[in-house]
Each structure stands twice: as C-alpha cells, then as structure tokens.
Amino acid sequence: RKAKDPSDFVVVCCNFTPVVRSQYRVGLPQGGWYEEVFNSDSEYYGGGNVGNYPGIAAEKIGHHGRPYSIPVNLPPLAVTVLKPKKE
C-alpha cells in the first residue's frame, strides 16, 4: 500500500523454508540505515536469534529493479521487518 509519505515504509522478508538464507540480497528504493524492527526468530519469541540486529546499511548495488540493496540474513520459517532510520 502507498503511504502519504513515500519515504515511510517497511521491508518485510519472509522465509518459508526450514533453511537459513544468509546474505540474501533485497532491493530497496533508497539508501541509508535499515533497523530490524521485528524478527519472529528472536530469542524473545523462543527462536534461534538468526537476524540482522541492530540493522544493515544499504549499498549502492541495484537489485530487484531498485537502485539500492541490503544483504539480509533470513531466519528459517520466520519473518523479518526492517525500516529505514529517519535522520
């Protein structure tokens, strides 16, 4: 869905396989720092704590038709949500 402010968005990554996907590249519309705001594999929820805490810096490497990207560690059978940090 589109927000009133196009810079206000989250990146939702779902891994429905039982295998960790390390450094899985995800395309992004803008650069900057992306904070991990939710990880269903967190120790807090009884998971294995595979993730990207505290976050990842976007790289100027185009991917998925976007000008920037991040290499995300996707935990198995889990959902990770990242949000660009406002400066």
Side-chain angles (χ1 to χ4, degrees):
R1 298 188 178 204
K2 294 199 178 210
K4 290 181 182 178
D5 178 3
S7 68
D8 185 22
F9 64 92
V10 295
V11 178
V12 179
C13 302
C14 304
N15 182 5
F16 297 122
T17 72
V19 179
V20 173
R21 303 293 179 189
S22 298
Q23 306 296 297
Y24 183 85
R25 191 156 293 277
V26 176
L28 302 168
Q30 67 186 42
W33 182 259
Y34 285 76
E35 294 179 300
E36 185 175 75
V37 295
F38 176 74
N39 178 352
S40 66
D41 192 53
S42 168
E43 288 179 342
Y44 182 78
Y45 304 113
N49 220 30
V50 173
N52 307 281
Y53 182 82
I56 309 168
E59 301 170 334
K60 183 78 171 131
I61 299 172
H63 201 69
H64 294 128
R66 305 289 183 162
Y68 294 88
S69 63
I70 51 177
V72 181
N73 291 321
L74 299 176
L77 303 170
V79 175
T80 301
V81 179
L82 298 124
K83 183 170 179 64
K85 185 173 182 176
K86 301 281 184 182
E87 301 203 17

